[in-house]
Amino acid sequence: MNIVSKIFTVVFIVCSLILAWVLFSSIKSSIDEEERIQFLEKKIVDKLVMIRDAQDAFKSVNGQYTSDWDKLTSFIDTGRFYIIDRKEVVIPLDYGADSIYVELDTIGTKSILDSVFSKTKYPKFDLSQLAFVPVADPEWKDVKFQMWADKIDKSGVMVDVIEVWNPKPVDVTRKDDETRNSRRPLRFGSRTSVSTSGNWE
């Protein structure tokens, strides 16, 4: 083997090793990024589920959803559910039928915070952080979930609807103009139908 062949062989081996390293690094980087996105999106989904629970509680007490973070967090912090005792009274009538009426009696109240966000269900719940998108990047630490709530007409009946979404997707391929709802930024609810389903479900 002459000197030129030896040099060519060495150069070829070095280039092959460099190419193999570049390919390995690229693949590992893609896998690491995918794992990072999945980890952060799981945290975002968990937070959206908490917000949905809070909105459901707010609507059950106030009769509608809210798009105001201050109202929602204040409600969770100080709001209470009424504990109602319901009793049906049946009065037999002379002609064989029955008359029924319902008695409702308020027997107490229960804290929204303890009911909806119990330590058993949400051991690490922090009300002060409910509105904020959980992200790894420090410059995103003040990004809040966006909320929209209103009434819409469905077949002549005004119904309450809500939509809550992440304005800064971790996965940059998630776009608002996507035709597939599952590829839009993580969200729950709808502006056009009575639903609180999440697009991750």
Side-chain angles (χ1 to χ4, degrees):
M1 184 182 282
N2 62 32
I3 187 78
V4 174
S5 296
K6 286 181 180 178
I7 292 171
F8 179 77
T9 302
V10 170
V11 169
F12 178 77
I13 291 170
V14 169
C15 288
S16 297
L17 290 171
I18 291 171
L19 181 59
W21 173 252
V22 168
L23 287 171
F24 171 78
S25 296
S26 174
I27 292 168
K28 185 171 186 328
S29 176
S30 296
I31 292 170
D32 289 346
E33 178 61 12
E34 183 63 29
E35 287 177 350
R36 185 187 77 88
I37 288 171
Q38 287 179 3
F39 173 76
L40 288 174
E41 286 199 340
K42 169 73 169 60
K43 291 176 73 173
I44 291 166
V45 165
D46 290 347
K47 186 69 75 77
L48 284 167
V49 170
M50 290 182 197
I51 296 167
R52 182 167 60 187
D53 287 350
Q55 286 282 3
D56 285 344
F58 188 93
K59 183 176 183 291
S60 73
V61 172
N62 297 289
Q64 61 186 19
Y65 297 111
T66 181
S67 55
D68 185 320
W69 277 114
D70 289 337
K71 279 184 183 175
L72 186 62
T73 53
S74 175
F75 167 76
I76 295 165
D77 191 32
T78 62
R80 304 190 75 78
F81 283 125
Y82 289 103
I83 302 168
I84 307 292
D85 181 39
R86 185 178 187 275
K87 186 192 305 180
E88 285 188 2
V89 178
V90 179
I91 302 171
L93 301 175
D94 292 337
Y95 50 88
D98 292 330
S99 174
I100 301 173
Y101 71 93
V102 178
E103 291 180 350
L104 299 176
D105 186 21
T106 303
I107 58 175
T109 61
K110 191 171 183 182
S111 159
I112 300 292
L113 192 58
D114 293 338
S115 302
V116 181
F117 297 102
S118 66
K119 295 294 183 189
T120 308
K121 187 174 181 182
Y122 295 113
K124 296 182 180 178
F125 179 72
D126 180 356
L127 181 57
S128 68
Q129 293 302 306
L130 183 65
F132 297 97
V133 177
V135 290
D137 191 333
E139 71 182 50
W140 285 13
K141 68 181 174 64
D142 294 327
V143 175
K144 283 186 174 182
F145 287 98
Q146 298 296 299
M147 290 196 306
W148 175 89
D150 205 348
K151 289 182 181 290
I152 61 170
D153 187 313
K154 294 298 281 186
S155 304
V157 178
M158 298 305 289
V159 294
D160 292 283
V161 290
I162 186 165
E163 187 176 42
V164 180
W165 68 97
N166 173 16
K168 270 201 142 160
V170 178
D171 182 350
V172 294
T173 65
R174 290 187 178 276
K175 304 286 185 187
D176 277 318
D177 57 3
E178 264 287 345
T179 53
R180 291 174 301 160
N181 189 39
S182 61
R183 291 310 307 154
R184 297 173 71 200
L186 290 169
R187 67 188 61 223
F188 74 82
S190 170
R191 294 180 184 226
T192 57
S193 64
V194 184
S195 170
T196 56
S197 293
N199 68 343
W200 65 87
E201 296 173 310

